[in-house]
Amino acid sequence: MGKKSKEQTGQQAKKEFIFQNKNYIFFFVGLACIAIGFILMSGGGSDDPNVFNEDIYSFRRIRLAPTLVLIGLGIEIYAILLNPHKKKN
């Protein structure tokens, strides 16, 4: 007596994922940027705690690696917010 479901009327609901291939490509690119940033941050320590190593303050660890991580996070946000179903007019 109430509303008929789509299955009863013979129509099947088309199941579609929210994210498409384009979203996943941007997702993995962002993930790679974050991973590269963390890899570049690693190292620079000394085996002997009494010896100070200046490599810990290198450009790679202080500027480049955190910048790559932030860029990767920005790409991840873009991948989530990207709407692949949007049609161009």
Side-chain angles (χ1 to χ4, degrees), residues 38-53:
F38 277 112
I39 290 169
L40 289 176
M41 265 191 251
S42 66
S46 178
D47 294 333
D48 185 11
N50 295 325
V51 178
F52 182 72
N53 191 354

Side-chain angles (χ1 to χ4, degrees), residues 25-45:
I25 289 171
F26 278 109
F27 176 75
F28 288 120
V29 168
L31 200 62
C33 283
I34 292 171
I36 290 170
F38 277 112
I39 290 169
L40 289 176
M41 265 191 251
S42 66

Side-chain angles (χ1 to χ4, degrees), residues 14-86:
K14 183 180 177 186
K15 293 182 181 181
E16 192 171 316
F17 290 113
I18 295 174
F19 296 136
Q20 299 296 319
N21 288 339
K22 195 172 185 181
N23 294 86
Y24 287 115
I25 289 171
F26 278 109
F27 176 75
F28 288 120
V29 168
L31 200 62
C33 283
I34 292 171
I36 290 170
F38 277 112
I39 290 169
L40 289 176
M41 265 191 251
S42 66
S46 178
D47 294 333
D48 185 11
N50 295 325
V51 178
F52 182 72
N53 191 354
E54 288 288 330
D55 287 340
I56 199 163
Y57 297 118
S58 68
F59 171 79
R60 185 183 85 190
R61 289 186 181 90
I62 298 295
R63 301 276 186 226
L64 182 63
T67 304
L68 272 176
V69 170
L70 290 175
I71 289 171
L73 289 172
I75 293 171
E76 293 293 326
I77 291 170
Y78 178 74
I80 292 170
L81 295 177
L82 180 66
N83 186 0
H85 303 293
K86 186 177 179 181

